Amino acid sequence: MDTAQRFQPPRTAGSLFQGLLALLALAGGFWLLNLAAMTPVGPPLALDIFGGLLLVGLAGLFLYGLYALQRSEYLIHRDGLQLRWGWREVHLPMPEVLSAYLNEGLERPAPLPRLRWPGWLLGRRRAPWGTIEYLAADPHRLVLVETPHGWYALSPEDPAAFLEALRLAAEAGSLNPLPPYTRHPLDVFGELRTDRWAQRLLLTAWLSGGALLLTALLSTGRIPGNATVTSWLLLPVVNFLFLGAGLGMGFFAYRRSRRRALAYPIWLSNSLASLSLLLFTLFFLFSS
């Protein structure tokens, strides 16, 4: 394979924005969880806890966006075009790259994804000329690449240089076309559907974690011993935070076959921890 020319999207603005959002979501989440420690038993307590966990989960989304932006690149060589964005990867043989245009030069520019922010222009949109998949960071530097199966919207830092490199690679002719390949972050869920062990570990971890949190919320009126509401609810909340971290780390390992074996001990530890804490809580409730 010939040497590829590497293009990257603009990263500075998107990295700062998503990093700031992640920090704000984490700060807001932990503020709500801290507020829950001082909230009397009742619906506001549950809202504070679930709101805090939701914000921490959103922080995880923004952190993934930051990670994906840092791993994003477009590689051009005479055998094809490779697109990488976080866990999303597409290989297009050069004969399938039919044309490429600057979005701003079109009479009707492509519609942007509905959910977007600096550094995150992802998803699919329907346009009059076909379906567009966005793997971009900046709406002002969009390049549309046409293939037989649809369009890709990219945002190289230098769109003109990208188009010129793509033209020269196409003119050079492909000696050994790149095999078509596509991988989506959600593909991991399709693989999990046939993996009984992974399903059991994840279900055990999250069902027992949910039961633990529900049990703690419903039993705040009969806390055993000298425990306070804060300490009684601390374990299930911390457990959910560890479940979220374990889920992300497990998926990171599971998506690659050579690292897949590492996901099982991560999810097993989550399952054992959640189940043990649930049994521990039930034992104290019924023995008091």
Side-chain angles (χ1 to χ4, degrees), residues 212-224 232 281 285:
L212 172 64
L213 181 59
L214 187 60
T215 300
L217 285 171
L218 294 177
S219 61
T220 50
R222 46 181 299 221
I223 300 173
W232 187 242
T281 301
L285 279 175

Side-chain angles (χ1 to χ4, degrees), residues 59-102:
L61 174 64
F62 297 134
L63 287 174
Y64 171 75
L66 179 59
Y67 159 81
L69 182 58
Q70 295 303 314
R71 289 197 73 249
S72 57
E73 60 182 3
Y74 318 120
L75 293 95
I76 299 174
H77 43 80
R78 65 189 302 175
D79 291 327
L81 174 62
Q82 294 175 273
L83 313 176
R84 296 172 183 162
W85 199 282
W87 293 356
R88 180 73 170 114
E89 189 167 354
V90 181
H91 296 179
L92 299 170
M94 189 54 71
E96 290 192 3
V97 179
L98 304 180
S99 60
Y101 307 94
L102 286 174

Side-chain angles (χ1 to χ4, degrees), residues 17-221:
F17 186 80
Q18 293 186 105
L20 180 60
L21 283 182
L23 288 175
L24 290 175
L26 280 175
F30 285 115
W31 177 77
L32 282 176
L33 294 176
N34 181 64
L35 186 64
M38 301 176 287
T39 302
V41 177
L45 174 63
L47 289 176
D48 287 342
I49 291 176
F50 287 114
L53 292 175
L54 177 62
L55 283 177
V56 173
L58 283 176
L61 174 64
F62 297 134
L63 287 174
Y64 171 75
L66 179 59
Y67 159 81
L69 182 58
Q70 295 303 314
R71 289 197 73 249
S72 57
E73 60 182 3
Y74 318 120
L75 293 95
I76 299 174
H77 43 80
R78 65 189 302 175
D79 291 327
L81 174 62
Q82 294 175 273
L83 313 176
R84 296 172 183 162
W85 199 282
W87 293 356
R88 180 73 170 114
E89 189 167 354
V90 181
H91 296 179
L92 299 170
M94 189 54 71
E96 290 192 3
V97 179
L98 304 180
S99 60
Y101 307 94
L102 286 174
N103 185 51
E104 63 182 16
L106 297 177
E107 184 177 347
R108 296 180 61 185
L112 297 177
R114 293 182 176 86
L115 182 65
R116 62 183 184 272
W117 54 80
W120 181 287
L121 235 69
L122 306 177
R124 294 175 182 267
R125 285 298 305 269
R126 288 286 300 172
W129 55 86
T131 300
I132 306 171
E133 180 176 355
Y134 282 81
L135 298 171
D138 186 345
H140 304 295
R141 308 191 199 194
L142 287 179
V143 172
L144 297 178
V145 176
E146 182 186 8
T147 77
H149 315 292
W151 294 72
Y152 292 91
L154 317 176
S155 62
E157 276 192 308
D158 189 340
F162 177 87
L163 287 172
E164 179 65 11
L166 195 60
R167 182 185 67 81
L168 292 175
E171 289 180 353
S174 178
L175 299 175
N176 184 24
L178 193 68
Y181 175 78
T182 181
R183 184 170 181 83
H184 195 278
L186 297 181
D187 289 348
V188 67
F189 293 104
E191 296 169 7
L192 282 172
R193 291 195 307 182
T194 59
D195 191 335
R196 299 298 182 189
W197 280 107
Q199 290 177 22
R200 290 166 183 161
L201 291 174
L202 289 170
L203 283 174
T204 301
W206 285 90
L207 289 178
S208 56
L212 172 64
L213 181 59
L214 187 60
T215 300
L217 285 171
L218 294 177
S219 61
T220 50

